[in-house]
């Protein structure tokens, strides 16, 4: 596949359908996980123009910053801390409408207002998380959860 994305406007469902197919094609035949994570982050950032899109990977019992798109970020996150660490500890997707109201939120940027974190799970073990931040409140919903989990399952 050519590395150019077709960015579409319109309803969120249609945007996800389009970007899902493009991500699936980008990942097809590529076995390098870092390359795949980088392309997923870039594709999602381009399509939705979220504030920050990236991955944290489990290394030595903490989350370590991986491929991302957006401003500089926190480098390491402890299990159970913040939205990412909590998603890791609970092995479930978390949607946070207002990050300032989330107990123990780690503010890598004061511009982040809402967040969704999707755990990357293989053989019942969380090996990382997809973290997406928006600079608007309540930017994420169950449709985002559905599609982002579906995209992560391509890995």
């Amino acid at each position: 596949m050519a590395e150019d994305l077709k960015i579409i406007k319109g309803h969120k469902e249609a945007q996800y359908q389009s970007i899902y197919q493009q991500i699936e094609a980008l990942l097809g035949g590529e076995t390098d996980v870092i390359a795949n994570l980088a392309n997923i982050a870039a594709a999602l950032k381009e399509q939705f123009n979220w504030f920050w899109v990236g991955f944290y990977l489990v290394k030595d019992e903490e989350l370590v910053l991986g491929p991302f798109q957006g401003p500089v970020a926190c480098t390491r996150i402890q299990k159970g801390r913040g939205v990412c660490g909590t998603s890791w500890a609970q092995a479930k997707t978390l949607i946070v409408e207002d990050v300032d109201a989330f107990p123990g939120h780690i503010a890598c940027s004061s511009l982040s207002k809402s967040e969704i974190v999707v755990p990357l799970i293989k053989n019942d073990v969380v090996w990382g998380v997809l973290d997406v931040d928006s600079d608007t409140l309540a930017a994420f919903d169950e449709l985002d959860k559905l599609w982002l989990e579906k995209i992560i399952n391509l890995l």
Side-chain angles (χ1 to χ4, degrees):
M1 172 180 175
E3 284 76 20
D4 293 329
L5 293 175
K6 181 181 177 195
I7 304 304
I8 68 165
K9 302 294 181 198
H11 189 270
K12 187 170 21 175
E13 177 87 23
Q15 291 182 56
Y16 271 118
Q17 289 171 349
S18 174
I19 203 66
Y20 177 86
Q21 293 171 349
Q22 294 179 77
I23 289 171
E24 187 174 35
L26 277 170
L27 302 187
E30 179 54 62
T31 60
D32 187 275
V33 69
I34 298 301
N36 287 333
L37 296 177
N39 271 333
I40 290 171
L44 291 172
K45 175 79 165 138
E46 287 294 313
Q47 177 59 59
F48 295 101
N49 196 32
W50 288 317
F51 179 70
W52 197 92
V53 180
F55 293 90
Y56 284 91
L57 305 176
V58 176
K59 294 183 181 181
D60 299 324
E61 291 306 308
E62 62 186 346
L63 291 172
V64 179
L65 183 63
F68 72 94
Q69 297 280 312
V72 296
C74 301
T75 304
R76 296 177 184 273
I77 299 173
Q78 299 300 310
K79 192 171 193 175
R81 291 218 40 233
V83 183
C84 290
T86 302
S87 175
W88 173 24
Q90 296 178 2
K92 72 176 191 177
T93 299
L94 297 179
I95 298 171
V96 179
E97 293 185 352
D98 179 355
V99 295
D100 291 331
F102 187 87
H105 175 252
I106 301 168
C108 296
S109 171
S110 62
L111 298 177
S112 177
K113 301 297 180 199
S114 60
E115 187 170 5
I116 184 170
V117 179
V118 181
L120 310 174
I121 302 172
K122 183 174 183 176
N123 299 325
D124 297 323
V125 175
V126 177
W127 60 275
V129 298
L130 166 63
D131 181 20
V132 183
D133 291 36
S134 175
D135 55 4
T136 61
L137 291 169
F140 306 105
D141 57 25
E142 289 298 316
L143 185 64
D144 297 294
K145 178 181 184 288
L146 173 83
W147 279 99
L148 292 174
E149 288 176 349
K150 189 173 178 178
I151 289 167
I152 290 311
N153 285 333
L154 291 171
L155 289 168

